[in-house]
Coordinates of all heavy atoms in Angstrom, one line a residue:
M18 N 4.2 -35.6 -3.7 CA 4.8 -36.7 -3.0 C 5.0 -36.3 -1.5 O 5.4 -35.2 -1.2 CB 6.1 -37.1 -3.6 CG 6.8 -38.2 -2.8 SD 8.4 -38.7 -3.5 CE 7.8 -39.7 -4.9
T19 N 4.7 -37.2 -0.6 CA 4.9 -37.0 0.8 C 5.8 -38.1 1.3 O 5.7 -39.2 0.9 CB 3.5 -37.1 1.5 OG1 2.6 -36.1 1.0 CG2 3.6 -36.8 3.0
R20 N 6.6 -37.7 2.3 CA 7.5 -38.7 2.9 C 7.4 -38.7 4.4 O 7.1 -37.6 5.0 CB 9.0 -38.3 2.6 CG 9.4 -38.4 1.2 CD 10.8 -38.0 0.9 NE 11.1 -38.0 -0.5 CZ 10.8 -36.9 -1.3 NH1 10.3 -35.8 -0.7 NH2 11.0 -37.0 -2.5
L21 N 7.6 -39.8 5.0 CA 7.6 -39.9 6.4 C 9.1 -40.1 6.8 O 9.7 -41.0 6.4 CB 6.8 -41.1 6.9 CG 6.6 -41.3 8.4 CD1 5.9 -40.1 9.0 CD2 5.8 -42.6 8.6
V22 N 9.6 -39.1 7.6 CA 11.0 -39.1 8.0 C 11.0 -39.0 9.5 O 10.4 -38.1 10.1 CB 11.8 -37.9 7.4 CG1 13.2 -37.9 7.8 CG2 11.7 -38.0 5.9
K23 N 11.8 -39.9 10.1 CA 11.9 -39.9 11.6 C 13.2 -39.2 12.0 O 14.3 -39.5 11.6 CB 11.9 -41.3 12.1 CG 12.0 -41.4 13.6 CD 12.0 -42.8 14.1 CE 12.2 -42.9 15.6 NZ 12.4 -44.3 16.1
L24 N 13.0 -38.1 12.8 CA 14.2 -37.4 13.3 C 14.0 -37.3 14.8 O 12.9 -37.2 15.3 CB 14.2 -35.9 12.7 CG 14.3 -35.8 11.2 CD1 14.1 -34.4 10.8 CD2 15.7 -36.2 10.8
N25 N 15.2 -37.3 15.5 CA 15.1 -37.3 17.0 C 15.9 -36.2 17.6 O 16.1 -36.2 18.8 CB 15.4 -38.7 17.6 CG 16.7 -39.2 17.2 OD1 17.5 -38.4 16.6 ND2 17.0 -40.4 17.5
G26 N 16.5 -35.3 16.8 CA 17.3 -34.2 17.3 C 16.4 -33.2 18.0 O 15.2 -33.0 17.7
K27 N 16.9 -32.6 19.1 CA 16.1 -31.6 19.8 C 16.8 -30.2 19.9 O 16.3 -29.3 20.4 CB 15.8 -32.1 21.3 CG 14.8 -33.2 21.3 CD 14.4 -33.5 22.8 CE 13.2 -34.4 22.8 NZ 12.8 -34.7 24.2
Q28 N 18.0 -30.2 19.4 CA 18.8 -28.9 19.4 C 19.5 -28.8 18.0 O 19.8 -29.8 17.4 CB 19.9 -29.0 20.5 CG 19.3 -29.0 21.9 CD 18.6 -27.8 22.3 OE1 18.9 -26.7 21.9 NE2 17.5 -27.9 23.1
P29 N 19.8 -27.6 17.6 CA 20.5 -27.4 16.3 C 21.9 -27.9 16.4 O 22.5 -27.9 17.5 CB 20.4 -25.9 16.0 CG 20.2 -25.3 17.3 CD 19.4 -26.3 18.2
L30 N 22.5 -28.2 15.3 CA 23.9 -28.6 15.3 C 24.7 -27.4 14.8 O 24.6 -27.0 13.6 CB 24.1 -29.8 14.3 CG 25.5 -30.3 14.1 CD1 26.1 -30.9 15.3 CD2 25.5 -31.3 12.9
P31 N 25.6 -26.9 15.6 CA 26.4 -25.8 15.2 C 27.5 -26.2 14.2 O 28.2 -27.2 14.5 CB 27.0 -25.2 16.5 CG 27.0 -26.3 17.4 CD 25.9 -27.2 17.0
I32 N 27.7 -25.5 13.1 CA 28.8 -25.8 12.2 C 29.5 -24.5 11.9 O 28.9 -23.4 11.7 CB 28.2 -26.2 10.8 CG1 27.3 -27.4 11.0 CG2 29.3 -26.5 9.8 CD1 28.0 -28.7 11.2
E33 N 30.8 -24.5 12.1 CA 31.7 -23.3 11.8 C 32.3 -23.4 10.5 O 33.0 -24.4 10.2 CB 32.7 -23.2 12.9 CG 32.1 -22.8 14.3 CD 33.1 -22.3 15.2 OE1 34.0 -21.5 14.9 OE2 32.9 -22.6 16.4
T34 N 32.1 -22.4 9.6 CA 32.8 -22.4 8.4 C 34.0 -21.4 8.5 O 34.2 -21.0 9.6 CB 31.8 -21.9 7.3 OG1 31.5 -20.5 7.6 CG2 30.6 -22.7 7.2
T35 N 34.6 -21.1 7.5 CA 35.8 -20.2 7.6 C 35.5 -18.8 8.1 O 36.3 -18.2 8.8 CB 36.6 -20.1 6.2 OG1 35.6 -19.7 5.3 CG2 37.2 -21.4 5.8
N36 N 34.3 -18.3 7.8 CA 34.0 -17.0 8.2 C 32.7 -16.8 9.0 O 32.4 -15.7 9.3 CB 34.0 -16.0 7.0 CG 33.0 -16.5 5.9 OD1 32.4 -17.6 6.1 ND2 32.8 -15.7 4.9
K37 N 32.0 -17.9 9.2 CA 30.8 -17.7 10.1 C 30.4 -19.1 10.7 O 30.9 -20.1 10.3 CB 29.6 -17.1 9.2 CG 29.1 -18.1 8.2 CD 27.9 -17.4 7.5 CE 27.4 -18.3 6.4 NZ 26.2 -17.7 5.7
K38 N 29.4 -18.9 11.6 CA 28.9 -20.1 12.3 C 27.4 -20.2 11.9 O 26.7 -19.2 11.9 CB 29.0 -19.9 13.8 CG 28.7 -21.1 14.6 CD 29.0 -20.9 16.1 CE 28.9 -22.1 16.9 NZ 29.2 -21.8 18.4
V39 N 27.0 -21.4 11.5 CA 25.6 -21.6 11.2 C 25.0 -22.8 12.1 O 25.8 -23.6 12.6 CB 25.4 -22.0 9.7 CG1 25.8 -20.8 8.8 CG2 26.1 -23.2 9.3
W40 N 23.7 -22.8 12.2 CA 23.1 -23.9 13.0 C 22.2 -24.7 12.1 O 21.3 -24.2 11.5 CB 22.3 -23.2 14.2 CG 23.2 -22.7 15.2 CD1 23.5 -23.3 16.4 CD2 23.8 -21.4 15.3 NE1 24.4 -22.5 17.1 CE2 24.6 -21.4 16.5 CE3 23.9 -20.4 14.4 CZ2 25.3 -20.3 16.8 CZ3 24.7 -19.3 14.8 CH2 25.4 -19.2 15.9
I41 N 22.5 -26.0 12.1 CA 21.7 -26.9 11.2 C 20.6 -27.6 12.0 O 20.8 -28.0 13.1 CB 22.7 -28.0 10.7 CG1 23.8 -27.4 9.9 CG2 21.9 -29.0 9.8 CD1 23.4 -26.6 8.7
C42 N 19.4 -27.6 11.4 CA 18.2 -28.2 12.1 C 18.4 -29.7 12.2 O 18.7 -30.4 11.2 CB 17.0 -27.8 11.3 SG 15.5 -28.6 11.9
T43 N 18.2 -30.2 13.3 CA 18.1 -31.7 13.5 C 16.7 -32.2 14.0 O 16.5 -33.4 14.1 CB 19.2 -32.1 14.6 OG1 18.8 -31.6 15.9 CG2 20.6 -31.7 14.2
C44 N 15.8 -31.2 14.2 CA 14.5 -31.6 14.6 C 13.5 -31.8 13.4 O 12.5 -32.5 13.6 CB 13.9 -30.6 15.6 SG 13.3 -29.1 14.8
G45 N 13.8 -31.2 12.3 CA 12.9 -31.4 11.1 C 11.8 -30.4 11.0 O 11.0 -30.4 10.1
L46 N 11.6 -29.5 12.0 CA 10.5 -28.6 12.0 C 10.8 -27.2 11.4 O 10.0 -26.3 11.3 CB 9.9 -28.4 13.4 CG 9.3 -29.7 14.0 CD1 8.8 -29.4 15.4 CD2 8.3 -30.3 13.2
S47 N 12.1 -26.9 11.1 CA 12.5 -25.6 10.7 C 11.8 -25.2 9.4 O 11.6 -26.0 8.5 CB 14.0 -25.6 10.4 OG 14.4 -24.4 9.9
D48 N 11.4 -23.9 9.3 CA 10.9 -23.4 8.1 C 12.0 -22.7 7.2 O 11.7 -22.1 6.3 CB 9.7 -22.4 8.3 CG 10.0 -21.4 9.4 OD1 11.2 -21.2 9.8 OD2 9.1 -20.7 9.8
K49 N 13.3 -22.9 7.7 CA 14.4 -22.5 6.9 C 15.4 -23.7 6.6 O 16.6 -23.5 6.5 CB 15.2 -21.4 7.6 CG 14.4 -20.2 7.9 CD 15.3 -19.1 8.5 CE 16.2 -19.5 9.5 NZ 17.0 -18.5 10.1
F50 N 14.8 -24.9 6.6 CA 15.6 -26.1 6.5 C 16.6 -26.0 5.3 O 16.2 -25.5 4.3 CB 14.7 -27.3 6.3 CG 15.3 -28.6 6.7 CD1 15.4 -29.0 8.0 CD2 15.9 -29.4 5.7 CE1 15.9 -30.2 8.3 CE2 16.5 -30.6 6.0 CZ 16.5 -31.0 7.4
P51 N 17.8 -26.4 5.5 CA 18.4 -27.1 6.6 C 18.9 -26.3 7.8 O 19.5 -26.9 8.7 CB 19.6 -27.8 5.9 CG 20.1 -26.8 4.9 CD 18.8 -26.1 4.4
Y52 N 18.6 -25.0 7.8 CA 19.1 -24.2 8.9 C 18.0 -24.2 10.0 O 16.8 -24.2 9.7 CB 19.4 -22.8 8.4 CG 20.5 -22.8 7.3 CD1 20.1 -22.6 6.0 CD2 21.8 -23.1 7.6 CE1 21.0 -22.6 5.0 CE2 22.7 -23.1 6.6 CZ 22.4 -22.9 5.3 OH 23.3 -22.9 4.3
C53 N 18.5 -24.0 11.2 CA 17.6 -23.9 12.3 C 16.8 -22.6 12.3 O 17.4 -21.6 12.0 CB 18.4 -24.0 13.7 SG 17.4 -23.7 15.1
S54 N 15.5 -22.7 12.6 CA 14.7 -21.4 12.7 C 14.1 -21.2 14.1 O 13.3 -20.4 14.3 CB 13.6 -21.5 11.7 OG 12.6 -22.5 12.0
G55 N 14.6 -22.0 15.0 CA 14.1 -21.9 16.4 C 12.8 -22.7 16.7 O 12.4 -22.7 17.8
K56 N 12.3 -23.4 15.7 CA 11.1 -24.2 16.0 C 11.3 -25.4 16.9 O 10.3 -26.0 17.4 CB 10.5 -24.7 14.6 CG 10.1 -23.6 13.7 CD 8.9 -23.0 14.0 CE 8.6 -22.0 12.9 NZ 7.5 -21.2 12.9
H57 N 12.5 -25.7 17.1 CA 12.8 -26.9 18.0 C 12.3 -26.6 19.5 O 12.2 -27.5 20.3 CB 14.3 -27.2 18.1 CG 15.2 -26.1 18.5 ND1 15.8 -25.2 17.6 CD2 15.6 -25.7 19.7 CE1 16.5 -24.3 18.3 NE2 16.4 -24.6 19.6
K58 N 12.0 -25.3 19.7 CA 11.4 -25.0 21.1 C 10.1 -25.7 21.3 O 9.7 -25.9 22.4 CB 11.3 -23.5 21.3 CG 10.3 -22.9 20.4 CD 10.3 -21.3 20.5 CE 9.3 -20.7 19.5 NZ 9.5 -19.3 19.4
F59 N 9.4 -26.1 20.2 CA 8.1 -26.7 20.3 C 8.2 -28.2 20.7 O 7.2 -28.9 21.0 CB 7.3 -26.6 19.0 CG 6.9 -25.2 18.7 CD1 7.6 -24.5 17.8 CD2 5.8 -24.7 19.3 CE1 7.2 -23.2 17.5 CE2 5.4 -23.4 19.0 CZ 6.1 -22.6 18.2
I60 N 9.4 -28.8 20.7 CA 9.5 -30.2 20.9 C 10.2 -30.5 22.2 O 10.5 -31.7 22.6 CB 10.3 -30.9 19.8 CG1 11.7 -30.4 19.7 CG2 9.5 -30.8 18.5 CD1 12.6 -31.2 18.8
Q61 N 10.6 -29.5 23.0 CA 11.4 -29.7 24.2 C 10.7 -30.6 25.3 O 11.3 -31.2 26.1 CB 11.8 -28.4 24.8 CG 12.7 -27.6 23.9 CD 13.9 -28.4 23.3 OE1 14.7 -28.9 24.1 NE2 14.1 -28.5 22.0
D62 N 9.3 -30.6 25.2 CA 8.6 -31.4 26.2 C 8.2 -32.7 25.7 O 7.4 -33.5 26.4 CB 7.3 -30.6 26.7 CG 6.4 -30.4 25.6 OD1 6.8 -30.4 24.4 OD2 5.2 -30.1 25.9
E63 N 8.7 -33.2 24.6 CA 8.4 -34.5 24.0 C 8.9 -35.6 25.0 O 10.0 -35.4 25.6 CB 9.1 -34.7 22.7 CG 8.4 -34.0 21.5 CD 9.1 -34.3 20.2 OE1 10.2 -34.8 20.2 OE2 8.4 -34.0 19.2
D64 N 8.2 -36.7 25.0 CA 8.6 -37.9 25.8 C 9.5 -38.7 24.8 O 9.0 -39.0 23.7 CB 7.3 -38.7 26.1 CG 7.7 -39.9 26.9 OD1 8.8 -40.5 26.7 OD2 6.8 -40.4 27.7
D65 N 10.7 -39.0 25.2 CA 11.6 -39.7 24.3 C 11.1 -41.1 23.9 O 11.6 -41.7 22.9 CB 13.0 -39.9 25.0 CG 13.7 -38.5 25.0 OD1 13.4 -37.6 24.3 OD2 14.7 -38.5 25.8
N66 N 10.1 -41.6 24.6 CA 9.6 -43.0 24.3 C 8.3 -42.9 23.4 O 7.7 -44.0 23.2 CB 9.3 -43.7 25.6 CG 10.6 -43.9 26.4 OD1 11.6 -44.3 25.8 ND2 10.5 -43.6 27.6
V67 N 8.0 -41.8 23.0 CA 6.7 -41.6 22.1 C 7.1 -41.1 20.8 O 8.0 -40.3 20.6 CB 5.8 -40.6 22.9 CG1 4.6 -40.3 22.0 CG2 5.3 -41.2 24.2
L68 N 6.4 -41.6 19.7 CA 6.6 -41.1 18.4 C 5.5 -40.1 18.1 O 4.4 -40.3 18.3 CB 6.5 -42.3 17.4 CG 6.7 -41.9 15.9 CD1 8.0 -41.3 15.6 CD2 6.4 -43.2 15.1
Y69 N 5.9 -38.9 17.6 CA 5.0 -37.8 17.3 C 5.0 -37.5 15.8 O 6.0 -37.7 15.1 CB 5.4 -36.5 18.0 CG 5.4 -36.7 19.6 CD1 6.7 -36.9 20.2 CD2 4.3 -36.5 20.3 CE1 6.7 -37.1 21.6 CE2 4.4 -36.6 21.7 CZ 5.6 -36.9 22.3 OH 5.6 -37.0 23.7
M70 N 3.9 -36.9 15.4 CA 3.8 -36.3 14.1 C 3.4 -34.9 14.3 O 2.6 -34.6 15.1 CB 2.8 -37.0 13.2 CG 3.2 -38.4 12.7 SD 2.0 -39.1 11.6 CE 2.2 -38.1 10.1
Y71 N 3.9 -34.0 13.4 CA 3.5 -32.6 13.4 C 2.9 -32.2 12.1 O 3.4 -32.6 11.0 CB 4.7 -31.7 13.7 CG 5.2 -31.8 15.1 CD1 6.1 -32.9 15.4 CD2 4.9 -31.0 16.1 CE1 6.6 -33.0 16.7 CE2 5.4 -31.1 17.4 CZ 6.2 -32.1 17.7 OH 6.7 -32.3 18.9
D72 N 1.8 -31.4 12.1 CA 1.3 -30.9 10.9 C 1.9 -29.5 10.6 O 2.8 -29.1 11.3 CB -0.3 -30.8 10.9 CG -0.8 -29.7 11.9 OD1 0.0 -28.9 12.3 OD2 -2.0 -29.8 12.1
E73 N 1.5 -28.9 9.5 CA 2.2 -27.7 9.0 C 2.0 -26.5 10.0 O 2.7 -25.5 9.9 CB 1.7 -27.3 7.6 CG 0.2 -27.0 7.5 CD -0.6 -28.3 7.4 OE1 -0.1 -29.4 7.4 OE2 -1.9 -28.2 7.3
N74 N 1.0 -26.6 10.9 CA 0.8 -25.6 11.9 C 1.4 -26.0 13.2 O 1.2 -25.4 14.3 CB -0.7 -25.4 12.1 CG -1.4 -24.9 10.9 OD1 -0.9 -24.0 10.2 ND2 -2.5 -25.5 10.5
L75 N 2.3 -27.0 13.2 CA 3.0 -27.5 14.4 C 2.1 -28.1 15.4 O 2.4 -28.1 16.6 CB 4.0 -26.4 15.0 CG 5.1 -26.0 14.1 CD1 5.9 -24.9 14.8 CD2 6.0 -27.1 13.7
K76 N 0.9 -28.5 15.0 CA 0.0 -29.2 15.9 C 0.5 -30.7 16.0 O 0.8 -31.4 15.0 CB -1.4 -29.2 15.3 CG -2.4 -29.9 16.3 CD -3.8 -29.8 15.9 CE -4.7 -30.4 16.9 NZ -6.1 -30.4 16.5
R77 N 0.7 -31.1 17.2 CA 1.4 -32.4 17.5 C 0.3 -33.5 17.8 O -0.6 -33.3 18.5 CB 2.3 -32.2 18.7 CG 3.0 -33.5 19.1 CD 4.0 -33.3 20.2 NE 3.5 -32.7 21.4 CZ 4.3 -32.2 22.3 NH1 5.6 -32.2 22.2 NH2 3.8 -31.6 23.4
K78 N 0.6 -34.7 17.2 CA -0.2 -35.9 17.5 C 0.7 -37.0 17.9 O 1.8 -37.1 17.3 CB -1.0 -36.3 16.3 CG -2.1 -35.3 15.9 CD -2.8 -35.8 14.7 CE -3.9 -34.8 14.3 NZ -4.5 -35.1 13.1
E79 N 0.3 -37.9 18.8 CA 1.1 -39.1 19.1 C 0.7 -40.2 18.1 O -0.4 -40.3 17.7 CB 0.7 -39.6 20.5 CG 1.3 -38.8 21.6 CD 1.1 -39.4 23.0 OE1 0.9 -40.6 23.0 OE2 1.1 -38.7 24.0
V80 N 1.7 -40.9 17.6 CA 1.6 -42.0 16.7 C 1.6 -43.3 17.5 O 2.5 -43.6 18.2 CB 2.7 -42.0 15.7 CG1 2.5 -43.2 14.7 CG2 2.7 -40.7 14.9
K81 N 0.5 -44.0 17.4 CA 0.4 -45.3 18.1 C 0.9 -46.5 17.3 O 1.4 -47.4 17.9 CB -1.1 -45.5 18.5 CG -1.7 -44.5 19.4 CD -1.0 -44.5 20.8 CE -1.7 -43.5 21.7 NZ -0.8 -43.2 22.8
E82 N 0.7 -46.4 16.0 CA 1.1 -47.5 15.2 C 1.4 -47.1 13.7 O 0.7 -46.2 13.2 CB 0.0 -48.6 15.2 CG 0.3 -49.8 14.4 CD -0.8 -50.8 14.5 OE1 -2.0 -50.4 14.7 OE2 -0.6 -52.0 14.3
I83 N 2.4 -47.6 13.1 CA 2.7 -47.4 11.7 C 2.6 -48.7 11.0 O 3.3 -49.7 11.4 CB 4.1 -46.7 11.5 CG1 4.1 -45.3 12.2 CG2 4.4 -46.6 10.0 CD1 5.5 -44.7 12.1
L84 N 1.8 -48.8 10.0 CA 1.7 -50.0 9.2 C 2.4 -49.8 7.8 O 2.2 -48.8 7.2 CB 0.2 -50.3 9.0 CG -0.6 -50.6 10.2 CD1 -2.1 -50.8 9.9 CD2 -0.1 -51.8 11.0
F85 N 3.2 -50.7 7.5 CA 3.9 -50.7 6.2 C 3.3 -51.8 5.3 O 3.0 -52.9 5.7 CB 5.4 -51.0 6.4 CG 6.0 -49.9 7.1 CD1 6.3 -50.0 8.5 CD2 6.5 -48.7 6.5 CE1 6.9 -49.0 9.2 CE2 7.1 -47.7 7.2 CZ 7.3 -47.9 8.6
Y86 N 3.0 -51.4 4.1 CA 2.5 -52.4 3.1 C 3.5 -52.6 2.0 O 4.1 -51.6 1.5 CB 1.2 -51.8 2.5 CG 0.1 -51.6 3.5 CD1 -0.1 -50.4 4.1 CD2 -0.8 -52.7 3.8 CE1 -1.1 -50.2 5.0 CE2 -1.8 -52.5 4.7 CZ -1.9 -51.3 5.4 OH -2.9 -51.1 6.3
E87 N 3.6 -53.8 1.6 CA 4.5 -54.2 0.5 C 3.7 -54.4 -0.7 O 2.6 -55.0 -0.6 CB 5.4 -55.4 0.8 CG 6.4 -55.1 1.9 CD 7.3 -56.2 2.1 OE1 7.7 -56.9 1.1 OE2 7.7 -56.5 3.3
E88 N 4.1 -53.9 -1.9 CA 3.4 -54.2 -3.1 C 3.8 -55.5 -3.7 O 4.9 -55.9 -3.6 CB 3.6 -53.0 -4.1 CG 3.0 -51.7 -3.5 CD 3.2 -50.6 -4.5 OE1 3.5 -50.8 -5.7 OE2 3.2 -49.4 -4.1
Ligands
LIG118 S1 16.8 -27.7 15.4 FE1 15.0 -27.7 14.1 S2 14.3 -25.7 14.1 FE2 16.1 -25.7 15.4

């Protein structure tokens, strides 16, 4: 199964627990999800008005149109 999920975070979200601080991924590219792995560095030059897709090698493509079909 494959899902299309839209995320717009560009920085990790710091969370403090009782004995440590962790960083939660908000960009969706982490290979340690839900924790940040530093991959958000690849999205810092994104245009906020453009929708992008990334493949498993972090190759970026611009999305021009998404079509939804109802059954
Ligand atoms: S916020 Fe996603 S990898 Fe850091």
Side-chain angles (χ1 to χ4, degrees):
M18 177 180 282
T19 301
R20 292 179 188 87
L21 184 61
V22 178
K23 181 180 176 185
L24 297 170
N25 58 9
K27 288 189 170 182
Q28 295 294 325
L30 176 66
I32 304 285
E33 290 196 39
T34 65
T35 53
N36 58 354
K37 67 178 180 176
K38 188 174 188 178
V39 296
W40 286 264
I41 302 299
C42 175
T43 64
C44 75
L46 298 180
S47 175
D48 48 13
K49 299 187 316 184
F50 201 82
Y52 303 106
C53 173
S54 67
K56 300 283 185 181
H57 60 268
K58 67 184 174 193
F59 292 99
I60 63 168
Q61 298 307 307
D62 64 339
E63 285 182 343
D64 182 332
D65 289 341
N66 299 311
V67 174
L68 179 61
Y69 299 97
M70 287 184 74
Y71 291 85
D72 67 15
E73 61 277 3
N74 298 314
L75 297 180
K76 184 174 180 184
R77 178 170 59 194
K78 293 180 182 173
E79 286 188 24
V80 177
K81 297 293 183 199
E82 182 178 23
I83 296 177
L84 299 174
F85 294 97
Y86 296 93
E87 291 187 34
E88 293 181 22

